[in-house]
Amino acid sequence: MDFELVSDYQPTGDQPEAIAELVRSIRSHTPHNTLLGVTGSGKTFTVANVIAQLNRPTLVLSHNKTLAAQLYGEFKNFFPNNAVEYFVSYYDYYQPEAYLPSSDTYIEKDLSINEEIEKLRLSATSALLSGRRDVIVVSSVSCLYGIGNPADFHATSVHISTGEVISRKVFMYRLVEALYTRTESVLTPATFRVNGDVIDIMQAFGETTIRVMFFDDEIEQIQRIDAASGQRLEVLDEVTIFPANLFVTTKERIDSAVKQIQLDLGKRIAFYEREGREVEAKRIKQRVEYDLEMIKELGYCSGIENYSRYFDGRSEGSRPFCLLDYFPKDYLMVIDESHVTLPQVRAMYGGDRARKLNLVEYGFRLPAAIDNRPLRFEEFESLVGSSIYVSATPADYELIKSEGAVVEQLIRPTGLVDPPLQVKVTDNQIDDLMEEIDARVRRGDKILVTTLTKRMAEELSRYFDRVGVRNRYIHSDIETLERVQILDDLRAGSFDVLVGVNLLREGLDLPEVGLVAIMDADKEGFLRNVRSITQIAGRAARHAQGNVIMYAERCTDSMRLAIEESNRRREKQLTYNIEHQMLPRQAQKSGSGRNNLLELAAIESEGATAHYTPLETLVAPIAADIRADYTAKSNATEGDTLDVAIATAREQMERAAKELDFMAAAKFRDLMYELQRRKEEQR
């Protein structure tokens, strides 16, 4: 199936030239290409057009989950009829295993896995191995970490077709090998149910339920059904059921791995004994033997990823398998905000290795644990074929690699020009900021405020709370889906000011933001260099009256260069607008504005269709008495009535929060507090 780009817009400004140049360059086998596009120039739309014309499977690489979620939503809107997938780390919380020799402290691994994101990861790998060419995977750098062998993943998949001769027992055995679990109750992802000659299977990513109907040892019919009602939706000629876990292997591979682990354990014990290190010898013996018993009995153990080399059949020192191995050789890689993403890729290997060396040295892990790692940068480069580096401020690496294949995109389709950069002194900066916020809020604009640290962001947010400014803060400690929700709430008008550190820098598409305030702009460093300032300023570039204020005690070189570059771009943009008689107009976000990840998160396990219910339909209009909607007891006492109303409001708040409808939850919360206040007044 080919890519089908759906959009209400046509390429304008610099976009047609940029699209044509990138397509021509990639088709002529130029491996490295750079798209230098200013914020708001429609770089994502340009890339979408390039993907549609090249018609290749594509990996879009981003440096954080928040931006990846936004890109996923945008590409989902551009390609609604194609396979657009999301692949990020499935940890909401992750504390890696570590040992600190200086204090003799062992830190056990601790984690919390987000099941919804795990389903999305499975969906991505399944789409890639299905043979489809119209696949776009939006990923964070987690795609460079080790995952299961794609050959084993494919071998464990269950492919069936109508008329195929296979016994029911063998079929169920193959499902169990693919890590599916039999159930007699309601189907959940990665389970199957048997009813006579009919077997219902819910795929691991929970979107599709397959019904397989047998006649003796022959598959009579395959259907796709509605999980809730059992109603037939479609008759299929064939179907592939992919494994329920990325780390899947065959029984033969497990037996071979166990034997190899035992051999390496004996060698490691002998090494410690020769060195006279009895404590380490005893420690490694106890830990590995316990893990082996777990693997033999259950098929897995805690920290089984440290033995991945054995299960993958890799030699010592070889790179692990990663998501890039699931793509065909001619795939296209798009590296978004490349000036940040590539340094992050380069730094991943070193930090992981330093931690693993301590664990191996002191007998907590076998040396094979070192081979459970992210890719080295050289390995990453070897796996990248055709690539597009996308950035408003590309680094030297991208420019050198591109060797002149740099496409500049400075003209915005909306006619908007770069926002002016204004410098203000730090004296009374908070009072000045409050005045600027008040003026912008009166106009209906949103405001971003960037600080240097998480603590500063939280303290500033608390101050805003005290003075009555509707605000939220956002940083890396907030869970992935909650970050997405915060950004959606900002666009929806639930609050006016968003305070952050580093997440408010690259790529966020927020046309409602009219003011960006940069605190401590003169503190030279990673967060306040010329690239960072340019990127932060770009968050106001989608607003017709966008403005950037830098609070500083002096004008640094980075601030000066950012101002000069902004003025150069403004001059070119204004000249284009005059020549083409174009009036600047407010940028609008493509699609519905509702992030697709939030819709996916709202899908119930029974397979109900996700939808976003407007708040107005959830809350009945309140005229005189806010208790009226919560009780029908005309003869109830005042206190009883309030108790019923409070309990009902709390129940509705919790239900809305569970469904990730935080706007409704906040309204019910406020209503509950008001009812509680009234009850207190009656005492």
Side-chain angles (χ1 to χ4, degrees):
M1 186 175 179
D2 294 339
F3 283 105
E4 182 183 348
L5 178 61
V6 178
S7 176
D8 297 331
Y9 311 103
Q10 295 295 322
T12 57
D14 287 352
Q15 290 176 337
E17 185 180 346
I19 295 166
E21 183 61 25
L22 287 170
V23 170
R24 184 201 62 77
S25 180
I26 293 170
R27 283 177 174 168
S28 61
H29 306 291
T30 303
H32 304 280
N33 306 270
T34 296
L35 174 60
L36 195 163
V38 297
T39 302
S41 62
K43 296 190 292 293
T44 305
F45 185 53
T46 297
V47 170
N49 277 273
V50 171
I51 293 171
Q53 292 191 31
L54 291 174
N55 210 39
R56 298 185 187 180
T58 302
L59 172 64
V60 181
L61 188 60
S62 176
H63 68 281
N64 69 54
K65 294 181 179 180
T66 305
L67 182 53
Q70 178 180 297
L71 289 168
Y72 171 77
E74 291 177 348
F75 280 111
K76 196 79 172 173
N77 287 324
F78 285 138
F79 299 102
N81 303 318
N82 302 111
V84 180
E85 308 290 345
Y86 186 65
F87 191 98
V88 300
S89 170
Y90 50 28
Y91 299 120
D92 282 336
Y93 167 75
Y94 183 69
Q95 170 61 61
E97 183 184 28
Y99 177 68
L100 308 177
S102 58
S103 58
D104 191 27
T105 304
Y106 173 71
I107 302 171
E108 189 135 11
K109 183 176 73 172
D110 189 21
L111 54 86
S112 172
I113 291 178
N114 188 310
E115 293 183 358
E116 292 300 323
I117 293 179
E118 188 176 17
K119 292 177 190 175
L120 293 171
R121 286 165 60 95
L122 283 168
S123 177
T125 52
S126 301
L128 288 169
L129 292 182
S130 68
R132 296 182 66 167
R133 296 280 296 175
D134 61 326
V135 180
I136 299 173
V137 179
V138 182
S139 174
S140 67
V141 292
S142 65
C143 67
L144 306 180
Y145 278 86
I147 60 175
N149 188 337
D152 288 345
F153 190 86
H154 193 274
T156 317
S157 304
V158 183
H159 182 84
I160 55 173
S161 56
T162 303
E164 181 179 346
V165 177
I166 181 175
S167 72
R168 245 179 6 112
K169 185 178 290 185
V170 170
F171 179 63
M172 287 189 288
Y173 180 75
R174 290 180 64 187
L175 288 175
V176 172
E177 279 190 327
L179 304 182
Y180 282 72
T181 305
R182 182 170 178 174
T183 182
E184 300 298 328
S185 58
V186 178
L187 285 174
T188 56
T191 62
F192 67 95
R193 183 176 58 208
V194 182
N195 185 13
D197 289 336
V198 178
I199 300 176
D200 293 340
I201 311 113
M202 180 173 280
Q203 298 259 46
F205 35 89
E207 292 185 353
T208 306
T209 299
I210 303 298
R211 172 166 288 173
V212 183
M213 306 172 71
F214 284 84
F215 181 78
D216 199 12
D217 286 344
E218 182 182 340
I219 297 176
E220 185 178 28
Q221 194 175 68
I222 304 170
Q223 301 175 356
R224 186 170 65 86
I225 65 170
D226 181 81
S229 65
Q231 183 180 358
R232 185 178 70 184
L233 302 177
E234 184 182 6
V235 177
L236 306 172
D237 294 327
E238 58 182 4
V239 70
T240 300
I241 300 167
F242 292 97
N245 198 302
L246 290 175
F247 298 93
V248 66
T249 188
T250 60
K251 189 177 184 305
E252 292 77 15
R253 192 68 65 82
I254 293 175
D255 294 339
S256 174
V258 168
K259 292 177 183 176
Q260 191 59 51
I261 293 170
Q262 289 172 332
L263 288 173
D264 285 359
L265 173 61
K267 294 177 183 176
R268 198 62 181 170
I269 293 171
F271 167 77
Y272 285 131
E273 289 176 346
R274 286 197 304 272
E275 296 284 322
R277 301 165 65 180
E278 296 298 328
V279 173
E280 286 83 355
K282 185 178 180 181
R283 180 185 290 154
I284 193 69
K285 184 174 186 297
Q286 289 178 339
R287 291 176 65 87
V288 176
E289 285 183 349
Y290 177 78
D291 287 345
L292 284 173
E293 287 299 318
M294 293 290 289
I295 292 170
K296 290 176 184 176
E297 293 296 324
L298 304 175
Y300 66 92
C301 69
S302 177
I304 194 171
E305 66 275 6
N306 292 290
Y307 304 105
S308 60
R309 193 187 81 194
Y310 302 108
F311 294 101
D312 291 342
R314 295 184 282 120
S315 58
E316 185 178 353
S318 59
R319 70 167 182 85
F321 295 104
C322 64
L323 184 65
L324 274 61
D325 292 298
Y326 287 71
F327 280 87
K329 290 184 178 180
D330 65 338
Y331 81 102
L332 174 67
M333 176 176 285
V334 178
I335 303 177
D336 196 58
E337 306 296 347
S338 58
H339 65 285
V340 180
T341 305
L342 288 172
Q344 190 175 5
V345 172
R346 188 180 279 106
M348 286 165 44
Y349 172 76
D352 182 84
R353 181 175 176 81
R355 178 176 59 84
K356 294 282 179 59
L357 285 174
N358 274 341
L359 291 169
V360 171
E361 175 66 20
Y362 293 94
F364 291 93
R365 291 293 174 192
L366 290 175
I370 296 174
D371 291 325
N372 170 45
R373 57 175 177 81
L375 297 182
R376 291 196 293 268
F377 193 72
E378 301 78 32
E379 294 168 339
F380 167 75
E381 287 183 304
S382 68
L383 293 173
V384 177
S386 300
S387 60
I388 301 175
Y389 306 114
V390 182
S391 175
T393 54
D396 294 340
Y397 174 87
E398 298 97 284
L399 297 175
I400 293 170
K401 280 286 186 180
S402 298
E403 297 180 341
V406 178
V407 179
E408 203 170 48
Q409 189 171 301
L410 301 181
I411 306 301
R412 297 182 175 89
T414 56
L416 294 173
V417 300
D418 277 26
L421 273 62
Q422 184 181 2
V423 181
K424 291 189 176 183
V425 296
T426 55
D427 295 340
N428 301 315
Q429 59 181 348
I430 299 300
D431 292 337
D432 183 84
L433 178 59
M434 289 297 300
E435 291 179 7
E436 294 285 350
I437 289 173
D438 184 63
R440 287 288 180 173
V441 170
R442 290 176 185 274
R443 293 164 55 176
D445 296 343
K446 306 303 175 188
I447 300 95
L448 300 183
V449 182
T450 65
T451 63
L452 283 176
T453 65
K454 297 177 185 177
R455 183 176 178 181
M456 289 172 63
E458 293 175 10
E459 288 182 351
L460 186 57
S461 177
R462 283 195 290 269
Y463 174 78
F464 285 152
D465 286 336
R466 288 197 298 270
V467 297
V469 175
R470 300 191 306 163
N471 79 98
R472 295 285 298 276
Y473 67 84
I474 185 171
H475 52 60
S476 58
D477 290 347
I478 295 173
E479 294 181 359
T480 306
L481 294 180
E482 189 177 350
R483 296 181 211 169
V484 179
Q485 183 67 52
I486 289 171
L487 295 174
D488 262 32
D489 286 350
L490 177 67
R491 300 202 68 220
S494 299
F495 59 95
D496 302 311
V497 181
L498 181 60
V499 187
V501 185
N502 199 29
L503 294 177
L504 304 182
R505 196 174 60 167
E506 277 86 14
L508 291 180
D509 180 6
L510 301 169
E512 296 82 5
V513 172
L515 173 65
V516 173
I518 306 175
M519 314 304 289
D520 298 307
D522 56 344
K523 301 297 189 291
E524 281 275 21
F526 171 68
L527 294 176
R528 295 294 182 266
N529 60 28
V530 62
R531 288 194 175 93
S532 294
I533 292 173
T534 302
Q535 288 287 346
I536 296 170
R539 297 318 102 208
R542 292 180 172 87
H543 196 283
Q545 286 84 41
N547 189 33
V548 180
I549 300 176
M550 296 185 285
Y551 291 97
E553 295 177 356
R554 61 190 179 92
C555 187
T556 64
D557 289 340
S558 294
M559 293 167 63
R560 179 179 55 81
L561 290 171
I563 293 171
E564 288 176 357
E565 176 63 15
S566 176
N567 291 337
R568 182 187 75 84
R569 293 176 177 180
R570 281 172 60 85
E571 185 178 352
K572 183 173 181 179
Q573 292 157 356
L574 288 168
T575 302
Y576 179 90
N577 288 352
I578 293 170
E579 289 177 354
H580 293 79
Q581 299 181 348
M582 180 182 289
L583 291 175
R585 65 182 189 277
Q586 183 74 31
Q588 299 294 326
K589 190 173 180 180
S590 60
S592 64
R594 174 81 174 156
N595 195 287
N596 288 273
L597 284 177
L598 299 179
E599 294 181 356
L600 287 170
I603 298 176
E604 307 250 348
S605 59
E606 291 85 40
T609 305
H611 61 280
Y612 185 61
T613 307
L615 184 62
E616 291 76 11
T617 65
L618 294 172
V619 185
I622 299 169
D625 191 351
I626 61 176
R627 297 162 293 167
D629 294 325
Y630 294 97
T631 180
K633 296 182 180 180
S634 59
N635 60 346
T637 66
E638 186 77 4
D640 290 340
T641 302
L642 281 171
D643 287 337
V644 172
I646 291 168
T648 306
R650 181 182 286 107
E651 182 183 344
Q652 290 176 318
M653 177 189 69
E654 291 173 350
R655 186 185 301 119
K658 187 176 180 181
E659 294 173 354
L660 299 181
D661 193 345
F662 298 109
M663 289 178 61
K667 291 289 186 181
F668 289 130
R669 178 202 62 197
D670 295 342
L671 180 60
M672 182 181 69
Y673 287 163
E674 174 64 19
L675 290 165
Q676 289 173 340
R677 186 186 63 78
R678 290 196 176 194
K679 186 176 180 180
E680 289 294 325
E681 289 175 351
Q682 292 178 1
R683 292 181 176 177

